[in-house]
Amino acid sequence: MASSSCNCAKPQISHPLSSASSSTVHLGHSPTSISWNSWQPNRTHNISIIHSALHSPSVLHFPKQPYQNPLIPIEDDSVNVQVQPKTHRHPQWNLLQRAAAMALDMAESALVSLELQHPLPKTADPHVQISGNFAPVPEQPVKQALPVTGTIPSCINGVYLRNGANPLFEPVAGHHFFDGDGMVHAVTIDNGNASYACRFTETQRFLQEKELGRPVFPKAIGELHGHSGIARLLLFYARGLFGLVDHKQGTGVANAGLVYFNNRLLAMSEDDLPYHLRITPSGDLETVGRYKFDDQLKSTMIAHPKIDPFSKELFALSYDVIQKPYLKYFKFQPDGTKSPDVEIPLSMPTMMHDFAITENFVVIPNQQVLFKLQEMIFGGSPVIYDKNKKSSFGILSKNASDSKDIIWVESPDTFCFHLWNAWEEPESDEVVVIGSCMTPPDSIFNECDESLKSVLSEIRLNLKTGKSTRRPIISESEQVNLEAGMVNRNRLGRRTRYAYLAIAEPWPKVSGFAKIDLFTREVKKYIYGDKKFGGEPFFLPRDDNCESAEDDGYIISFVHDENSWKSELQIVDAINLQLESSIKLPSRVPYGFHGTFIDAKSLINQA
């Protein structure tokens, strides 16, 4: 893959809402108005396109009263959700704190006035980032006895959960989709009956801002650019100095990943510790709190830890953008006992959103998207693509106590935001990595002229020669953007034949998913249909028997109809890609991130 020659504009932050005097914000256009690559279905012998067969109308219920928290409303006349005026609350502040708060608020108002003078890049413009079905929704208590079309397979009993970004408050400046507060959507299935609920993950950040009645924590991607980003950081830490906010208990949003480990459901984003959530007997969700693994975990943990399906151990990384060590590796025994940290030698802080495991190794990507906070001094983004850096993968023993035996294998110009699987092939001394290679590498974070491409690739790392090869798995004439998905989790870290990945077309929407045969390169597509879009396809094995056929199971995904503005949960047979059932949801489910499934037996043992 050739090196990207992206011409990335320096982001400048301004106030996104010029009509600030109105309490209702009308989002001007949806992401489809941006010049994305349009996707045309391919009609070749090895491509199968399978359309949804069930088109029964959804059932949608709206709350009788407007939601009381200030949300960005959706562009739908049938839903009358108003943005509430921001309130400045002073919870038990003394006279000095009140004076400091007033002075800092005035400074922030002056900063916003300066920001109004510059246009926002699309990557930080809330009119783009959280419009349409990317817009937030209110919490929903449990709704039981949901309408079901078709028959839910009898083997599916438990709860499907999916995380996502859902800002509680109207942004005061720039906002990236990744900046939103974490909200988990849960569909509980009990012998063919289904219920739904969605709740915010009550992070320390969420609770403090809710108490104050407005956003005060800086948005990591949407706001922290250039001089205004530096000013926002100074304002935030000044508020901390006067005790107006507490940043020592974490600043993360817990909006990306979900994992069920050691009888606990954990919500994660890589900027904080995980948050422990509990599923109630009725199918509702509640936040237990920030989870430190009995005070063993002292640092952040990335949103994509891996559970080995055989040893049941959990493997994780933690990265730091300010001080060394920039990267640490650790693992947990099935009972939650943590190993000592292994410091991974990196010369500069590197984005580490995902990694992979094999039977014996962890595979650590050291890629070209870096954190350089000093770039803010020159008016730029702290997240940069360094085309002069050489991308590589580190191969480290799962049981390593230090990093002295790590093997680094260069893989030029490789940036994989997600890695779907990896396995060992001892006969050739290779580790095989399956990932989606993205170009331009930083296009998610910085506005670029070049259209984004995400190419499913096979990367072979030779541990003896230190060389690598990379090839697209799908032929160039059949390429589509493939992002978000998984392999059969019963075979994670071992050689797998199938991957189930979202068709991210037209980017960033998901028009369906693909079942890819990694050996024959055959692609079968399941398309949601006219103006229907979804998210991550979650593969649920029929059972935990590793001897079963690898594709014996079901694909689960939230799907939203932009014609009717209704959402549903679809369950698709993974072998033949036929729709088995559709659960009609009582409220809209925004496009989001990653999910998991907890079976009914495991729910009984929740901590």
Side-chain angles (χ1 to χ4, degrees), residues 563-583:
N563 286 316
S564 63
W565 211 250
K566 297 175 182 178
S567 298
E568 61 187 351
L569 183 75
Q570 291 192 2
I571 301 174
V572 178
D573 189 308
I575 294 178
N576 57 28
L577 298 196
Q578 294 296 316
L579 182 61
E580 292 284 321
S581 58
S582 173
I583 301 170

Side-chain angles (χ1 to χ4, degrees), residues 470-489:
R470 183 173 88 248
R471 70 174 180 91
I473 292 175
I474 302 174
S475 64
E476 185 175 355
S477 62
E478 315 296 352
Q479 281 297 337
V480 292
N481 287 326
L482 295 174
E483 255 298 334
M486 61 190 302
V487 299
N488 185 327
R489 61 182 180 179

